[in-house]
Amino acid sequence: MFHKTLLISALLLAAANGGTAMAAGTSSLLVGYGEGTTLDPDFGRTWINGNAMEVIPPAYACGRRIYSAGTLTWIAFTHQKSGLNPDQTVDVWLPRAGCPYPTAIVVERNAGNKDDYLPPNPNSFPLEYVELETFHGSRWIDKFGQIKPLTIPQLPYTINVAKFVGMPQQIGTLKAQLVDSALQPRAFALAQQLQADAAELAGDLAARTALRRRTDLPDREAALRFVEDAATARLNTVDGQLATATRYARSGQYAEAYRAADLALAAMQAASGYVAEADGLIDTSGE
């Protein structure tokens, strides 16, 4: 069984549940190829703005559907680029046994149309990645190209996703205060409040995860546990870095506080993405 992790953009996955963007900016899905025209079936990654997160595809997944992809770009090892604008939903198929393309990464630039696909190396230069950009998120699909909703209703896993999504903006506000001499006196109070918020989110996540794990979900359990654990770890980092920012802001060491807030922001963005991925994995609806 394919156990390698993929890298998924935190903000891309914040929009994965239902295909509606929850954060401003373009989301990028990057799919990696091996050297030259040789595919590496264990390598695939996606990210946005450098904020990468690892996930394990659920057992049923054969690919990832990217909603309303606006741009598709081939990127070579030499950094040459060649692009097109599909402006439509795209399916990226993973090389997994029992899937439509078990030995190759295949990009169907018109989802569901097997006759409209992009070969591993459509250009003359050695290919490293294909990049797809969208504002509309993505979700896993099974071998039939379908979203596979959870069949267990009312699973006890309600996380305050909205608060997770709002925290990065608040930490960004803290960073802005820490570099503005006129606003620096306010930074200590905000940092203190944000640390309390992060601790509350961590407690809520821990409680909900414990409840969720009372129900085993064989077709996605490993994938779900992976992102639950990752969200918990990132949230613990947020709490620790905000505690550091609070301590430095209190003593007027604003440069040090800014560095801690910056680390907290990166961890919070990743935590938000992991929570959104978990939410998408237990979504009981289809597309």
Side-chain angles (χ1 to χ4, degrees):
M1 183 178 292
F2 181 91
H3 288 297
K4 295 290 183 179
T5 56
L6 298 179
L7 291 174
I8 300 292
S9 158
L11 295 185
L12 177 65
L13 290 175
N17 187 18
T20 301
M22 298 170 64
T26 302
S27 301
S28 299
L29 172 69
L30 271 73
V31 181
Y33 290 85
E35 185 175 0
T37 59
T38 303
L39 287 170
D40 177 353
D42 291 341
F43 182 60
R45 64 179 178 180
T46 70
W47 72 72
I48 179 173
N49 298 332
N51 297 315
M53 55 179 278
E54 283 187 302
V55 299
I56 296 175
Y60 65 82
C62 282
R64 191 92 178 181
R65 176 158 294 157
I66 298 86
Y67 295 101
S68 301
T71 304
L72 188 153
T73 306
W74 299 109
I75 305 173
F77 283 93
T78 57
H79 304 297
Q80 287 178 274
K81 295 184 178 182
S82 176
L84 55 90
N85 298 309
D87 196 25
Q88 57 198 11
T89 297
V90 173
D91 285 346
V92 178
W93 295 95
L94 304 177
R96 303 183 85 180
C99 293
Y101 306 97
T103 62
I105 296 171
V106 172
V107 180
E108 288 179 1
R109 57 185 173 184
N110 185 3
N113 185 351
K114 296 290 188 292
D115 295 325
D116 190 9
Y117 70 94
L118 297 169
N121 191 5
N123 301 292
S124 58
F125 51 77
L127 185 64
E128 185 175 13
Y129 303 113
V130 57
E131 177 183 45
L132 296 108
E133 296 183 339
T134 180
F135 287 98
H136 301 279
S138 66
R139 294 192 67 178
W140 296 113
I141 54 176
D142 64 17
K143 65 182 179 180
F144 303 109
Q146 301 296 316
I147 305 300
K148 189 175 183 181
L150 192 66
T151 57
I152 303 172
Q154 300 178 340
L155 189 70
Y157 195 77
T158 303
I159 296 292
N160 191 343
V161 176
K163 195 165 186 178
F164 269 86
V165 173
M167 277 285 285
Q169 182 178 355
Q170 291 298 309
I171 298 174
T173 299
L174 173 63
K175 289 177 60 180
Q177 290 183 357
L178 288 167
V179 295
D180 188 331
S181 58
L183 298 176
Q184 283 171 346
R186 305 180 189 178
F188 167 67
L190 180 56
Q192 194 173 40
Q193 180 58 55
L194 289 175
Q195 186 194 357
D197 290 344
E200 181 182 348
L201 284 176
D204 183 47
L205 178 61
R208 295 297 177 176
T209 298
L211 283 173
R212 203 289 302 163
R213 290 186 177 184
R214 294 179 183 177
T215 304
D216 185 70
L217 307 171
D219 67 345
R220 67 197 75 194
E221 185 69 22
L224 192 46
R225 281 179 178 262
F226 188 92
V227 293
E228 287 169 346
D229 290 342
T232 298
R234 299 309 186 280
L235 206 50
N236 288 338
T237 298
V238 173
D239 185 42
Q241 291 299 331
L242 287 175
T244 300
T246 300
R247 185 173 68 253
Y248 280 128
R250 172 185 283 176
S251 61
Q253 297 175 274
Y254 297 117
E256 290 81 0
Y258 181 91
R259 283 192 286 271
D262 193 45
L263 292 171
L265 177 57
M268 191 67 234
Q269 288 171 330
S272 298
Y274 282 123
V275 167
E277 175 70 357
D279 193 57
L281 283 168
I282 62 167
D283 185 15
T284 57
S285 64
E287 295 201 52

